[in-house]
């Protein structure tokens, strides 16, 4: 068989867990091979073994049928293995060209020789349809462009085996399509691709074969064409997953959150100004703000929750104007917020899980007396939440939050915000970076909240999520609301046109 | 065995052992310097340093504790600010204004009765130190001025303002503050001197007084505030992640200002405790030189890993080494070399954090080896029972 890379019977353990248990992965020449698994299934460990970052206890690696030993990333590079990391490794104030040649510069008598490199980069970008300006500064180009630079870096080093680690997490729907096309072109030129992901649609769209990992074990390798998405998700999670949600009709009641003619200026660098935004969220409905990243979604969430000052208009919670109120006052009047960036806003990573779960309530008389924290009560409250919301961690309530997995960190935030019994829950990209099981869980929680009469404002970049769980969709473009729809009356394609700004229509205020 | 392993892995043990390791490396380094500068007497000299405060008997131990008072207080000041995300490099200035206020009250308000007099003097010192730190705190909170820069500036303003005030003609009226012939401040009134209480029986002949008890009580109190109160919870939250604190509705500005003021009050109190120790205690010398006590607080805080209880021990240790260095003058060591040796030991002691990372890494490696042993048999069993998958 013409396998370019074979990882046979790889076993790698860490204290307390068997991260990879006898995993076999075989990559054919010229194929796109997906590696599917939930967070913590062992995908990263397996790739780290391939890169020589970890030494497996058992198992061997073969390159084109010959056994090789990879001791460090340089060995991997020499074997032609390259990787686009989930978080790009680029120097921001260098140009595209400088970034590409970094580490493999050609020099003449100690001076950089850029011309030959430039020619090679231009030739490569034409050959593979990777359009980039070699002289642009990396900090000035879009995330999609930065990813192309990462791909060019691998091609410049003549890598034959390309690994993409969750490459679509940061891209817009259009950029994702471009990337898929690029990946297909690369395989036509004889490159082989390992595609790490947990998004089934993308696997269906580009991959030839797929290896599924679950809890460190290899569940099997399948032909993507012969397998349905449902089957794949079942292999990944180990149980049947409802990809479609049955949520019933919305039963909208009185308004809870009203935003009237909200205006913000862009005082800070990189902030989108908001232009005259008005909408209402009622009890018992999920209103979704859809849009391409960077069109003012974060600013809208900040303005409503009080993390950012507003320059005009009003924000009302339960009929009360809170636009000038502090964050604490807004929280107390019934606002909960699942923030976009769970590490920046959502959690204090150096605090224990229980200290994070109490973050919005530590000052309540129930948990403090004359300024003294009632630690046993806080502890038992945290234990209760951990059990009810199934938050998993190494040492329970006293685990340092930093050491928890992303999915469980997010569960902790969701638990904290929901349990605090808000009237309006603002959830900003609540499922970002999570696996199917955790996404299903969070969606069910949001719907349960809706059904219990809470108002929910969901800000999401994932069109599937928008279509599946919202009762009303508002499209945001360049800081304005450009359309309001019922998810039943609009297709994803049409929604995409509004999101890209090529269509707009009068919004029915309120 | 399991119990031992759990103890070895507890954070308390890791923290303590990393501080001890840091001290050992510092001592070795100090010994190397002694070998270079004076090989013949190096071993004898090293013995003197190791004996440190003990070589003077009970009086020596008392002196060690007296030396420890100011650096425990400035260590607490720096460590508390660190815990709340601020770097208080202005401890020296806060210490100086605290000292001046205590001396001023100790000399000028001499009509007050005994306990009241020194209590008011100490409160004055705290207040002055707190006010001195309030300014960088306000600048940081409302104008986003880096507290490092503004508090360094406040150090110089504090030093020169105090020197100016001490010599000012308005304070020349009796009882005078400035002893012109000695270039020192005058002795404070007997009512303002901290009592020695039972310590005079324990450490006869030494200067130590209840100042050390006050310092230790304050450290325990700070530990309590940081770990058991909502106030400490808020301050630490701001220190760890100001964005998340803001998100949770904690006022970051209030936290910054309050933690600077508290840090300043701790340093100021340190100044008061040292200069209210009677004729055998320290007296303020009018020099154009920042007081070292403020800066010594930084290694004390680092060696104590910013834990108020750790800082008590760190302060006593560094006082112990400093006194050992002073006894070194009985041999042929140049004074400057002695300073270098003690500084080197203190310097390495401040690396406790680095050593903590190192010890944690080692424990992890050992843990890995153990768990591999545990898993090995089970791994084999699983492997023998299964064919390699995916070979279809």
């Amino acid at each position: 068989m013409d396998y370019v890379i074979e990882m046979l019977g790889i076993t790698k353990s860490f204290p307390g867990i068997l991260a990879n248990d006898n995993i076999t992965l075989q990559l054919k020449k010229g194929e796109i091979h997906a590696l599917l698994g939930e967070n913590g299934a062992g995908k990263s460990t397996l790739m780290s073994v391939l890169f020589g970052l970890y030494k497996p206890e058992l198992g061997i690696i073969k390159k084109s049928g010959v056994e090789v030993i990879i001791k460090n990333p340089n060995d991997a590079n020499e074997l032609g293995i390259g990787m686009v990391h989930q978080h790009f490794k680029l120097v921001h104030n260098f140009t595209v060209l400088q970034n590409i040649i970094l580490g493999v510069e050609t020099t003449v008598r100690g001076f950089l020789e850029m011309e030959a490199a430039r020619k090679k980069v231009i030739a490569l970008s034409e050959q593979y349809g990777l359009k980039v300006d070699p002289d642009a500064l990396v900090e000035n180009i879009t995330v999609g462009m930065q990813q192309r630079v990462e791909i060019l870096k691998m091609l410049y080093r003549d890598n034959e085996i390309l690994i993409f680690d969750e490459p679509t997490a940061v891209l817009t729907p259009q950029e994702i399509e471009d990337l898929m096309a690029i990946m297909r072109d690369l395989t036509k030129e004889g490159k082989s691709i390992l595609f790490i992901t947990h998004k089934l649609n993308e696997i269906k769209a580009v991959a030839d074969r797929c290896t599924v990992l679950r809890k460190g074990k290899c569940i099997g390798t399948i032909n993507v064409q012969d397998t349905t998405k449902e089957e794949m998700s079942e292999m990944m999670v180990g149980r049947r997953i409802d990809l479609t949600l049955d949520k019933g009709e919305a039963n909208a009641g009185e308004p809870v959150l009203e935003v009237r003619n909200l205006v913000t200026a862009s005082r800070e660098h990189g902030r989108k100004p908001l232009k005259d935004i008005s909408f209402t969220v009622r009890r018992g409905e999920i209103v979704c703000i859809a849009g391409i990243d960077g069109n003012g979604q974060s600013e809208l969430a900040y303005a409503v929750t009080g993390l950012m000052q507003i320059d005009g208009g009003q924000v009302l919670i339960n009929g009360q104007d809170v636009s000038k109120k502090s964050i604490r006052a807004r929280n107390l009047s019934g606002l909960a917020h699942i923030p976009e960036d769970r590490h920046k806003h959502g959690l204090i990573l150096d605090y224990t899980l229980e200290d994070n779960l109490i973050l919005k309530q530590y000052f309540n008389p129930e948990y403090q007396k004359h300024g003294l924290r009632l630690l046993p009560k806080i502890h038992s409250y945290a234990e209760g939440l951990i059990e009810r919301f199934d938050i998993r961690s190494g040492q329970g309530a006293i685990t340092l939050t930093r050491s928890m997995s992303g999915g469980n960190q997010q569960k902790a935030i969701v638990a904290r915000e929901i349990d605090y019994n808000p009237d309006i829950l603002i959830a900003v990209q609540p499922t970002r970076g999570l696996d199917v099981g955790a996404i299903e869980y969070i969606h069910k929680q949001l719907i349960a909240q809706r059904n219990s009469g809470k108002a929910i404002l969901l800000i999401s970049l994932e069109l599937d999520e928008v279509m599946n769980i919202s009762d009303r969709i508002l499209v945001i473009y360049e800081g304005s609301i450009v359309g309001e729809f019922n998810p039943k009356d609009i297709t994803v394609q049409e929604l995409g046109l509004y999101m890209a700004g090529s269509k707009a229509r009068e919004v029915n205020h309120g | 065995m399991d119990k031992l392993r759990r103890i070895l892995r507890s954070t308390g043990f890791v923290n303590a052992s990393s501080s001890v390791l840091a001290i050992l490396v510092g001592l070795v380094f100090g010994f190397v310097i002694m070998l270079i500068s004076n090989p013949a007497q190096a071993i004898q000299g090293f013995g003197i340093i190791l004996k440190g405060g003990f070589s003077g008997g009970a009086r020596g131990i008392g002196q060690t504790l007296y030396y420890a008072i100011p650096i425990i207080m400035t260590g607490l000041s720096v460590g508390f600010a660190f815990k709340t995300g601020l770097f208080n490099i202005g401890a020296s200035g806060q210490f100086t204004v605290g000292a001046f206020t205590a001396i001023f009250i100790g000399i000028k308000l001499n009509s007050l009765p005994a306990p009241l007099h020194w209590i008011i003097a100490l409160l004055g010192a705290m207040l002055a130190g707190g006010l001195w730190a309030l300014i960088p705190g306000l600048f940081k909170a409302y104008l986003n001025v880096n507290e490092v820069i503004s508090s360094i500036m406040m150090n110089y303003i504090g030093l020169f303002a105090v020197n100016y005030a001490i010599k000012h003609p308005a304070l020349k009226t009796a009882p005078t503050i400035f002893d012109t012939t000695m270039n020192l401040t005058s002795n404070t009134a007997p009512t303002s001197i901290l009592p020695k209480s039972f310590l005079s029986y324990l450490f006869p002949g030494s200067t130590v007084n209840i100042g050390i008890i006050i310092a230790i009580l304050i450290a325990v109190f700070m530990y309590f505030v940081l770990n058991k109160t909502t106030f400490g919870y808020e301050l630490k939250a701001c220190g760890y992640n100001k964005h998340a604190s803001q998100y949770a509705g904690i006022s970051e500005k209030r936290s910054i200002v309050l933690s600077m003021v508290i840090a300043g009050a701790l340093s100021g109190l340190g100044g008061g405790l040292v200069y209210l120790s009677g004729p055998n205690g320290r007296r303020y010398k009018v020099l154009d030189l920042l007081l070292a006590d403020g800066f010594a607080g930084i290694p004390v805080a680092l060696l104590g890993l910013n834990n108020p209880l750790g800082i008590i021990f760190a302060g006593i240790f560094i006082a112990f080494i400093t006194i050992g260095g002073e006894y070194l003058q009985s041999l042929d060591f140049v004074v400057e070399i002695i300073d270098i040796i003690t500084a080197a030991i203190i310097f390495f002691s401040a690396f406790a954090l680095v050593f903590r990372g190192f010890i944690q890494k080692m424990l992890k490696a050992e843990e890995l080896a153990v768990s591999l042993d545990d898993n090995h048999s089970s791994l084999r069993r699983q492997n023998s029972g299964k064919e390699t998958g995916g070979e279809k």
Side-chain angles (χ1 to χ4, degrees), chain B residues 71-88:
Chain B
I71 55 179
I72 288 177
M73 292 312 298
T74 53
L76 284 174
S77 169
V78 174
F80 178 78
F82 266 141
K83 276 264 178 196
T84 57
L86 297 164
F87 185 26
N88 177 24

Side-chain angles (χ1 to χ4, degrees), chain A residues 74 77 89-106 112-114 117 121 138 149-150 152-154 156-157:
Chain A
N74 288 343
N77 254 324
K89 313 226 178 272
L90 297 172
V91 183
H92 273 227
N93 47 2
F94 269 20
T95 65
V96 168
L97 183 61
Q98 284 167 335
N99 265 291
I100 291 173
I101 64 166
L102 190 64
V104 290
E105 307 88 352
T106 43
L112 272 179
E113 218 293 293
M114 298 291 269
V121 168
V138 163
V149 177
E150 284 282 8
L152 277 169
K153 260 166 81 178
M154 295 195 295
Y156 187 81
R157 286 158 178 72

Side-chain angles (χ1 to χ4, degrees), chain A residues 377-428:
Chain A
K377 280 196 179 166
I378 292 172
H379 189 74
S380 61
Y381 171 71
E383 304 246 280
L385 282 189
I386 290 169
E387 197 182 317
R388 264 169 50 217
F389 290 84
D390 189 27
I391 306 166
R392 292 184 201 165
S393 61
Q395 297 153 281
I398 57 161
T399 314
L400 212 57
T401 325
R402 187 180 290 286
S403 69
M404 291 166 55
S405 72
N408 281 301
Q409 289 178 343
Q410 187 72 359
K411 273 187 183 175
I413 297 175
V414 170
R416 178 181 74 208
E417 297 305 310
I418 287 179
D419 192 67
Y420 143 69
N421 200 20
D423 295 319
I424 166 86
L425 174 63
I426 296 177
V428 189

